Amino acid sequence: MTNQRNLIIWILLTVVLLFGWEAGMRHFYPNAYKAKPKPAVSAPATPGGEPVQAAKPTREGGLSSDSDKAIEAQDLKTALASPSRVPVAAPGLSGSINLAGALIDDLVANRHTAAVDSKDPARIYSPSGTPAQQFAQVGWVGQNIALPGADTLWTAPAGAKLTPETPVTLTWDNGQGQTFAITYAIDKDYMLTATQTVRNAGTAPVSVTPFAQINRTDRTASLDSWNIHSGPFGAFDGSVKFDPNYKNVREAGQLQNEGKADWVGFTDVYWMSALIPGTPPASSDFRSLGNGIYRADVIYKAASVAPGQQAALTTRLFAGAKESLVLDAYEKAGITNFGHAIDWGWFFWFEKPIFWLLRSLFHFAGNFGVAIILLTLIVRGIMFPVAQRQFASMAAMKAIQPKMKALQERYKDDKQKIQEETMKLYKSEGVNPLAGCLPIFLQIPVFFALYKVLMVSIEMRHQPFILWIKDLSAPDPLHILNLFGLLHFTPPAFLGIGVLALLLGITMYFQFKLNPAQMDPAQQQIFAIMPWMMMFIMAPFAAGLLIYWITSNILTIAQQKFLYSRHPALGTQTDKEADDAKRAKH
């Protein structure tokens, strides 16, 4: 009866885990599940004039509704048709600079597509007023001087085009003796450089305060979850801060960042936009402008420009994909902790080597799915000596089972005495019952590191494997309950059992079948149910993670078969116990 009661309790707890996980996450991390507010400046409307509701943020971010995408496409077509634009053409980025305000408001990442089934490049910046509004601006504030503003029409040289080989200088004369210039340069990846210059040809000194800002809507933000930050962030005094979130800024109105700003901006899971101040040092803050629009500011100290003199300073702007090698290269070039702009978490010291190995295997195999399988082979190969010790421990446990059964018969009415005598037996026989769990514990760091790599590294985004697996960083798209897409509905996450999840359950089942039967019938029943419970739990995870686990299970089965072939007596004993267990059921 006790064993049956324990089994029922375990099953109930498992059901609570399956059905209560999402509810629990919504309770403890409500901000990650809230739909983002819709900014008024970019609020689209239906033909009937009704505003379109903001969609729930997705893990990757971007516009998710078809109506928003249609409005964005039309708005982009109108905005980018203006002749007052300077083309941008670089290996990493393409787009244009808006001469109205000297805004960098049109950028796409050439090396990454917008969706797994699309050939269009991923959009980073969109002009002000579009649903996906995001842009950068440099300028000046001051008093008693005419300054360029958001509507100022700057002048560019005829035929100007911003490329890595050809910087572009925009100019504006205020008619009072001061000339303002912004020289933009771009590299082969995602870094732009803006050099602001003020020339004073007047008769009196002028004082100006240079600034730089990034302006964006949160309706395109990726999901801000407990383990991957999306929103304002930066590095201050040499330390990276993955906070605050949009809600914090919205409630405060303005949040001043403490310490020297090494870089500051906004991040999504795969993309980021960050300002890297030059010298002199600058202060920074985050501001909510209302209606879902936010701003990251870099503000320099006021500069006095004497007659006949000029003042210049440089600010860099990163706008693009968070490619690990690119960010690391910028860090080596002097941008403090830029490689940590990827939210690796506390265990980056272990995750980055795993990522390096996975990337190296990809260059060898040409397929990230194959690279994951090769990674699994390497991990299992390294752990083979540990598995042999596990097998020896299992053999030792099997050898003392007759003595343990005798103890259970002798003290069957005294559970505490059984536990005491069992521990004495373990000690006298030199057996460690937990030794068999060692390989599992050793795999946990690798498993978690692979999980994090699949979640945050853009190098894994949209990477195919074979057949229907088009994106290893996304869940298996073929669900059994909707007949692999034939029925037009998406099952809930805990019921979205795909082909990979089913293979995981099957391989776990056969792996457990090769293990010796547990002496406690309740424990044996738990082990029998465990593969199918894990099938449900793991179904929503990235396909690449399931491929790793399935491969590991297959290798474990092969490993156990090999070790049983070297120890046939133990294999025979295991088969006998399995037959005894079947007869006991009937």
Side-chain angles (χ1 to χ4, degrees), residues 95-379:
S96 60
I97 300 172
N98 191 351
L99 292 179
L103 304 179
I104 302 176
D105 63 356
D106 169 34
L107 291 176
V108 295
N110 297 327
R111 293 197 285 261
H112 302 278
T113 57
V116 69
D117 55 352
S118 171
K119 293 183 179 180
D120 295 332
R123 177 157 289 278
I124 306 299
Y125 280 0
S126 290
S128 176
T130 63
Q133 170 177 324
Q134 185 170 193
F135 60 86
Q137 178 189 24
V138 297
W140 298 262
V141 293
Q143 295 179 346
N144 302 321
I145 180 175
L147 296 168
D151 298 324
T152 299
L153 189 62
W154 291 71
T155 300
K161 184 176 184 180
L162 179 59
T163 72
E165 295 77 28
T166 56
V168 171
T169 298
L170 311 182
T171 57
W172 179 75
D173 191 323
N174 68 358
Q176 299 177 358
Q178 289 80 43
T179 302
F180 297 84
I182 303 174
T183 299
Y184 286 113
I186 192 170
D187 70 4
K188 62 182 179 62
D189 292 310
Y190 307 112
M191 190 70 74
L192 294 97
T193 302
T195 302
Q196 300 168 246
T197 305
V198 181
R199 295 181 179 88
N200 184 10
T203 58
V206 295
S207 178
V208 292
T209 301
F211 74 88
Q213 64 151 312
I214 297 170
N215 179 301
R216 72 162 291 170
T217 175
D218 67 352
R219 70 185 291 125
T220 55
S222 59
L223 188 67
D224 182 26
S225 62
W226 63 275
N227 63 340
I228 302 177
H229 176 68
S230 173
F233 81 141
F236 310 96
D237 289 335
S239 178
V240 179
K241 290 179 61 178
F242 286 98
D243 62 68
N245 56 36
Y246 290 112
K247 180 182 178 182
N248 300 142
V249 181
R250 184 169 63 249
E251 292 177 347
Q254 178 178 355
L255 289 176
Q256 188 75 29
N257 296 314
E258 297 181 1
K260 172 182 171 290
D262 301 311
W263 46 270
V264 61
F266 299 99
T267 184
D268 296 300
V269 64
Y270 291 131
W271 326 101
M272 77 173 187
S273 182
L275 296 166
I276 302 97
T279 53
S283 62
S284 67
D285 61 41
F286 297 110
R287 304 186 190 196
S288 172
L289 306 183
N291 298 311
I293 302 296
Y294 298 85
R295 199 171 78 194
D297 295 307
V298 166
I299 304 171
Y300 295 93
K301 291 182 179 180
S304 179
V305 187
Q309 301 296 313
Q310 69 176 37
L313 60 79
T314 297
T315 304
R316 283 178 288 178
L317 167 69
F318 179 96
K322 298 200 291 186
E323 298 172 9
S324 182
L325 289 178
V326 171
L327 297 181
D328 288 344
Y330 286 133
E331 181 173 332
K332 291 177 182 177
I335 303 179
T336 304
N337 282 335
F338 214 54
H340 293 274
I342 298 174
D343 192 1
W344 294 107
W346 291 347
F347 303 103
F348 69 92
W349 52 270
F350 186 71
E351 293 159 10
K352 292 195 77 169
I354 291 292
F355 178 52
W356 172 86
L357 177 57
L358 193 62
R359 193 172 57 227
S360 301
L361 293 171
F362 168 72
H363 289 311
F364 168 75
N367 182 292
F368 262 113
V370 176
I372 290 173
I373 293 174
L374 293 176
L375 174 68
T376 316
L377 285 167
I378 292 172
V379 172

Side-chain angles (χ1 to χ4, degrees), residues 467-540:
L467 301 176
W468 72 96
I469 306 298
K470 306 298 184 184
D471 187 353
L472 289 164
S473 67
D476 187 345
L478 293 187
H479 296 153
I480 295 173
L481 291 185
N482 65 6
L483 300 182
F484 309 112
L486 294 177
L487 302 180
H488 297 291
F489 84 97
T490 301
F494 62 90
L495 291 177
I497 308 300
V499 176
L500 292 178
L502 183 61
L503 289 175
L504 175 66
I506 293 172
T507 54
M508 277 191 88
Y509 170 79
F510 283 109
Q511 179 186 341
F512 284 0
K513 288 286 287 184
L514 288 175
N515 291 336
Q518 299 296 311
M519 293 186 60
D520 186 342
Q523 291 183 6
Q524 185 62 29
Q525 288 175 312
I526 290 173
F527 275 107
I529 297 174
M530 182 65 72
W532 314 115
M533 303 314 309
M534 291 304 298
M535 178 182 71
F536 278 93
I537 293 172
M538 293 300 299

Side-chain angles (χ1 to χ4, degrees), residues 434-489:
L434 298 179
C437 300
L438 185 58
I440 297 175
F441 286 123
L442 290 178
Q443 282 199 82
I444 288 176
V446 179
F447 184 80
F448 180 79
L450 182 60
Y451 162 78
K452 197 71 172 181
V453 165
L454 285 163
M455 291 297 101
V456 303
S457 63
I458 194 168
E459 290 82 354
M460 298 297 297
R461 176 181 179 263
H462 297 173
Q463 287 292 337
F465 179 38
I466 56 173
L467 301 176
W468 72 96
I469 306 298
K470 306 298 184 184
D471 187 353
L472 289 164
S473 67
D476 187 345
L478 293 187
H479 296 153
I480 295 173
L481 291 185
N482 65 6
L483 300 182
F484 309 112
L486 294 177
L487 302 180
H488 297 291
F489 84 97

